Amino acid sequence: MAVQRGLEEAIAICCDHIQALDSEYLHINDAFMRVAAEDIASPINVPNFDRSSIDGYAISEGDLGKLRTGEPLTLKVIATIQAGSIESKQIRAGETHRIMTGALLPEGCAAVIKQEDVRISGNLIVACGSLKQGENIQRAGHELTAGERVAPKGLVLNAEILERIAACGIENILVHQIPRIYVINTGSELLLPGSPIKTGQIYNSNRSLLSAKVAGSGAIPVLADSIIKDDLQQIVNEIEKATPVSDMIIISGGTGNGVYDLVYNAFEYLNASPLFKGIDITPGKGTSAALFNGKLLYNLSGNPHAAGILFEVLIKPALLKLKGDLFSAREWFDIQLDSPIKKIKPYRRLCQGEMLIEQGSVYAQPVSGNNNPIKNISLILDIRAGQGAKGDMVRAIILN
Ligand SMILES: Nc1nc2c(c(=O)[nH]1)N[C@H]1C(S)=C(S)[C@@H](COP(=O)(O)OP(=O)(O)OC[C@H]3O[C@@H](n4cnc5c(N)ncnc54)[C@H](O)[C@@H]3O)O[C@H]1N2
Ligand code: MOO
């Protein structure tokens, strides 16, 4: 039987019932923002040869010692080495090779002197000043050694990580499949934006809210074609339609105990395994979840304010788990309220907030409900029973 749960318990129960989606190999150019499904290690040293880190002149071991005496040293330029040249050259005392940044060092090269630091006279250079052994040389494996980990399993592959993977010469990457999240909005009062509205009707804004939240979490929203009326059979049919084509189903509306709140009845009708019915938190206290054919079914409040907050705190952790993302979970942290909550209540509440920086310190400004002027919502605040006065420390997560 489904029971009411605390928020943390509800999150854990949902996460315990799912696992990361299967993986597939993708070409590196198609892997942006996908999640690595295995540790990625460099198969080679990067670079895989000793190279010059500057445009300059290669100095042999013997000539390096001479330079240390402080006397100017004249060397004959006998070659120019371009980056990309794979020809192995040898440098002898009394000679130098002009060498470009990133080019293969000639054998016997002990350091490279900057071209700005030499005087050029025909095919001779005059160098002076002391150089350290290995100066301006990048050794093989300077960036990465063969076998070194470039990206751990579970990491979202951003531009910088993809650059490192490419630098190792890896062409195909094993990544998790992207979760497809089916969004169903129930409510006989709902209309899609663009349709003429009659008194008593409202536009379905949860569809935009939830599909944007899904997309913003790096998953694919799959939207029900139409609005689903508060009708048991319609809800059941839509869940049956959604299950084979998605990895998780989010249904808004119908979490209450009114005559037409039928989503949970649909869960029961379908024999879905109940996970919880109700969460001990406001808003969203009517939120429920069940497991149907291995997929999580969530029922969020129809109230968009509640649906948005519950998506962030309850659904997002499960979505990250489905993605195989082991690193993006948000940590709750403590922050001071810059202004009071409208009404202090004797129970735990979640609310939206803005992060403010004042004189180098960070504060949270609560933003309540749907009927506020649009603000840059950057936080969700967790207000404990009795909290909410200016200066109170509350818990928060940053939205991204
Ligand atoms: N007797 C009680 N009634 C209510 C309680 C209660 O404790 N006792 N709780 C209230 C709270 S709090 C909420 S939240 C709602 C929960 O409602 P439902 O999840 O059943 O959602 P609906 O009744 O369908 O809608 C609530 C509200 O939101 C509007 N809505 C619904 N869907 C959408 C949508 N897709 N886009 C935009 N707006 C939507 C809907 O028209 C309602 O105004 O129950 C309270 N009642
Ligand atoms: O529980 Mo309602 O979901 O407070 O807004």
Side-chain angles (χ1 to χ4, degrees), residues 71-137:
E71 293 294 308
L73 181 68
T74 302
L75 299 170
K76 186 172 178 194
V77 184
I78 59 148
T80 300
I81 312 172
Q82 188 182 0
S85 164
I86 55 172
E87 191 190 340
S88 169
K89 294 200 156 86
Q90 175 79 38
I91 186 170
R92 284 186 294 268
E95 294 176 353
T96 184
H97 296 181
R98 186 165 189 199
I99 186 163
M100 303 301 141
T101 303
L104 172 65
L105 281 193
E107 277 178 43
C109 172
V112 180
I113 187 163
K114 254 190 198 158
Q115 62 184 30
E116 299 89 309
D117 295 343
V118 304
R119 200 155 41 79
I120 300 166
S121 153
N123 68 343
L124 298 176
I125 61 160
V126 181
C128 52
S130 86
L131 272 182
K132 285 201 285 283
Q133 176 82 26
E135 197 157 333
N136 301 321
I137 290 176

Side-chain angles (χ1 to χ4, degrees), residues 341-358:
I341 304 271
K342 264 191 189 156
K343 285 183 197 147
I344 293 179
K345 301 270 177 147
Y347 48 81
R348 183 181 175 190
R349 279 181 297 163
L350 298 171
C351 83
Q352 296 173 324
E354 267 192 291
M355 196 189 276
L356 304 178
I357 300 175
E358 284 164 11

